[in-house]
Amino acid sequence: MILQSVTAAAFGTNCYVVAVADGEECLIVDPGIGVEEPVREILLTRRLRPAAVLLTHGHLDHVYAVTPLCSPGVAAHIHPEDRYRLADPLAQLDPALVAMVEQQFGTRATWQEPSDIVELGTSGDTALELAGLRLSVTHTPGHTEGSVLFSLADVPQGTPDELHSTVLSGDVLFAGSIGRTDLPGGDHQAMLRSLREQVLPLPDSTLVLPGHGPATTMARERSTNPFLAGLG
């Protein structure tokens, strides 16, 4: 499996491009603000063809480039409880924050809803098979109502031998921290349940690729993340 990341120009969101190998179909995960050109460069260099865009949740910093990257036949996949956010994620932001982003990029922020949206399964764990990859989709509410984890039973090329699986954790789990729950749709008690019931059972041999910040492992987070302490 190959995996390449791009850090968005605003909010430091991690966007991931995942594929079985060069020259194959790929998945784009969480395309944030200003990632269009870097992602297209990866697609060109590695001869990849997008099969789908996967969204760990519906916040603007994780979905802003979804429509430009959803060419005909490429759907955006999101949990149904966050589906409403794709109608207009700009409207859900503080106007001052929108103004800050517009000032940073020197252009007016605009939004167009993707034309093809697929709602992920609503059960605790569902399987998704796209681009030759099999992913497990786990509903982990707390940061938003429809936050999910995307898990793969493989690791990117060059990963240390002691790691055997990968989880794209969005804004549920970070290196040394967790996602905030004080935004609209956030729920601290739901986050604690998600961490206890869905995150902690992940094996120590899991590579964790979060929505912001550096990669980590479940072994490291289990032993050092203060937000996981006492949840087991």
Side-chain angles (χ1 to χ4, degrees), residues 91-165:
Q92 301 156 32
L93 281 187
D94 185 317
L97 192 56
V98 175
M100 182 191 74
V101 172
E102 291 177 336
Q103 184 176 26
Q104 179 179 353
F105 290 95
T107 184
R108 183 173 178 270
T110 60
W111 174 256
Q112 181 179 348
E113 187 174 9
S115 59
D116 190 357
I117 298 174
V118 174
E119 294 187 0
L120 298 165
T122 57
S123 60
D125 278 317
T126 57
L128 195 62
E129 295 193 25
L130 292 164
L133 296 162
R134 182 179 176 85
L135 302 95
S136 174
V137 184
T138 305
H139 185 209
T140 48
H143 180 63
T144 66
E145 308 95 323
S147 291
V148 300
L149 308 177
F150 293 112
S151 302
L152 301 111
D154 199 357
V155 291
Q157 295 173 4
T159 300
D161 291 342
E162 65 269 19
L163 299 176
H164 305 135
S165 59

Side-chain angles (χ1 to χ4, degrees), residues 60 83-93 110-111 113:
L60 181 76
R83 166 66 180 84
Y84 76 95
R85 295 178 181 274
L86 294 185
D88 188 1
L90 281 168
Q92 301 156 32
L93 281 187
T110 60
W111 174 256
E113 187 174 9

Side-chain angles (χ1 to χ4, degrees), residues 28-87:
I28 301 170
V29 183
D30 285 359
I33 298 171
V35 304
E36 296 95 324
E37 289 311 310
V39 167
R40 288 178 181 136
E41 182 63 27
I42 291 171
L43 302 182
L44 180 64
T45 301
R46 309 201 76 145
R47 310 183 317 281
L48 299 172
R49 306 179 307 279
V53 175
L54 306 183
L55 305 173
T56 61
H57 62 290
H59 280 160
L60 181 76
D61 59 324
H62 289 253
V63 308
Y64 191 72
V66 62
T67 301
L69 291 172
C70 279
S71 54
V74 178
H77 294 246
I78 193 166
H79 191 275
E81 292 192 41
D82 264 24
R83 166 66 180 84
Y84 76 95
R85 295 178 181 274
L86 294 185

Side-chain angles (χ1 to χ4, degrees), residues 14 16 159 163 165-167 169 173-177 204-210 212-225 228:
N14 293 325
Y16 299 98
T159 300
L163 299 176
S165 59
T166 303
V167 63
S169 63
L173 180 67
F174 304 132
S177 189
D204 282 352
S205 58
T206 304
L207 171 67
V208 179
L209 300 176
H212 302 267
T216 184
T217 68
M218 271 309 299
R220 183 178 303 128
E221 296 314 303
R222 200 184 313 280
S223 62
T224 65
N225 191 321
L228 299 184

